[in-house]
Amino acid sequence: MRCLVAVKQVIDPYVHIRINKEQTAVIQENVKMAMNPFDEIAMEAALQFKEQGIISEVIAVSIGAPGVQETLRQALARGADKAIMVMSEKSYNPLSIAKVLAKISKQQEVDLVLMGKQAIDNDCNQTGQMLAALLDWPQATFVSKLQLESTSLIATREVDGGLETLKCKIPAVVTTDLRLNEPRVISLPNIMQAKKKPLTEISIEDMGLELNNQIATTTIQPPPKRKAGVKLNSVTELVDKLRNEAKII
Ligand code: AMP
């Protein structure tokens, strides 16, 4: 069984986000980047199946500016067998990303696509669902437990009221939730070894796809600044403030 894992490069979740003066974009220059955390989980799931002998090949794919190569090298260091980098200086909406992933999934003849439930930079939570529709494959989203069999998969999904378990045929698209696993830490020898693994570069323009951004971001605003807190001397004072100033009790 061959598995494609979509890994997006995002701003490191621990970095303070800054917005440009025009309030149209998040500043990315000279900012620490990382693999989208949900994609780390997707990669870990693929690697565990490979270690169990269920998956034979893990292919990491990323679409973005040349810097995404670093994220793909990380995927290779974790244990992916090969990587495909689709170079694009422009950023695309989920439908276009899904079209690119659909084309690569077909070209690489994969049986399973594992990806994050959402990218933490745009919070779209759309690409997996669109990819499944484009490929006409079943999908299991928000997956917190996954079992692979030769022709099907059993996935437990985190839904509002609790957990839902479903079975579907493969090929399929699976998007991962936080509790599926804990991604491994990359060791130095693995980082060195990853340099020898194949990383193919292809330009998005050469893919022969019609890609249009139907949505444009008009404004980005930071959350309102929080007021400084005050230190109170007693519970009586706290109750007084909650009752008379905040008026919440
Ligand atoms: P989104 O729908 O944008 O929230 O993204 C959902 C998932 O799609 C991510 O967790 C990734 O697995 C995948 N994805 C989105 N954008 C990219 C990209 N530029 N390159 C590779 N994978 C991506």
Side-chain angles (χ1 to χ4, degrees):
M1 196 184 293
R2 288 153 63 84
C3 176
L4 184 149
V5 184
V7 292
K8 185 177 187 186
Q9 187 177 63
V10 295
I11 292 181
D12 186 296
Y14 299 104
V15 164
H16 176 70
I17 299 288
R18 287 176 304 129
I19 293 167
N20 65 3
K21 265 197 240 124
E22 300 77 30
Q23 295 206 318
T24 51
V26 170
I27 298 172
Q28 301 222 3
E29 289 77 38
N30 305 318
V31 174
K32 189 171 174 235
M33 305 300 279
M35 188 186 294
N36 182 45
F38 292 109
D39 303 352
E40 286 185 322
I41 295 170
M43 180 53 72
E44 179 62 34
L47 297 174
Q48 287 182 11
F49 287 128
K50 195 182 165 205
E51 284 157 1
Q52 291 160 20
I54 302 171
I55 283 177
S56 54
E57 190 176 32
V58 177
I59 306 159
V61 178
S62 195
I63 302 134
V68 304
Q69 199 189 107
E70 205 186 306
T71 295
L72 285 171
R73 286 279 168 218
Q74 263 184 39
L76 294 169
R78 278 169 198 272
D81 298 287
K82 64 177 190 184
I84 300 172
M85 171 171 146
V86 182
M87 261 190 301
S88 152
E89 290 297 343
K90 207 168 118 188
S91 66
Y92 282 95
N93 290 157
L95 181 58
S96 297
I97 299 293
K99 284 183 185 174
V100 172
L101 294 174
K103 179 141 192 194
I104 296 176
S105 301
K106 282 190 206 149
Q107 279 173 345
Q108 296 291 323
E109 297 179 342
V110 298
D111 308 284
L112 179 69
V113 177
L114 276 166
M115 53 205 293
K117 70 167 181 181
Q118 77 193 66
I120 61 158
D121 53 359
N122 59 16
D123 281 341
C124 280
N125 175 14
Q126 294 170 7
T127 312
Q129 294 86 331
M130 289 175 171
L131 174 63
L134 290 171
L135 290 168
D136 196 18
W137 289 1
Q139 59 180 297
T141 52
F142 304 92
V143 167
S144 59
K145 205 169 156 206
L146 184 62
Q147 200 184 318
L148 274 186
E149 293 174 348
S150 56
T151 56
S152 61
L153 63 83
I154 298 169
T156 302
R157 307 181 57 234
E158 301 208 349
V159 292
D160 271 354
L163 298 174
E164 176 190 61
T165 300
L166 54 82
K167 186 171 180 171
C168 67
K169 286 218 168 85
I170 49 174
V173 175
V174 171
T175 76
T176 58
D177 215 325
L178 205 60
R179 274 162 287 272
L180 182 61
N181 58 47
E182 271 200 30
R184 65 196 63 192
V185 176
I186 319 171
S187 68
L188 193 61
N190 286 348
I191 295 174
M192 301 312 286
Q193 226 185 337
K195 293 191 177 147
K196 292 186 211 130
K197 289 189 180 175
L199 193 157
T200 312
E201 292 182 18
I202 156 163
S203 162
I204 201 160
E205 286 86 26
D206 295 340
M207 292 203 70
L209 293 167
E210 213 175 287
L211 306 173
N212 301 309
N213 271 344
Q214 295 138 321
I215 303 162
T217 303
T218 53
T219 329
I220 298 185
Q221 286 171 307
K225 282 214 169 83
R226 287 174 67 177
K227 282 194 204 142
V230 283
K231 224 174 179 178
L232 303 177
N233 295 316
S234 68
V235 175
T236 322
E237 212 181 324
L238 171 67
V239 172
D240 177 64
K241 286 211 178 274
L242 291 175
R243 182 167 295 144
N244 300 315
E245 277 183 29
K247 297 192 192 315
I248 54 170
I249 56 168

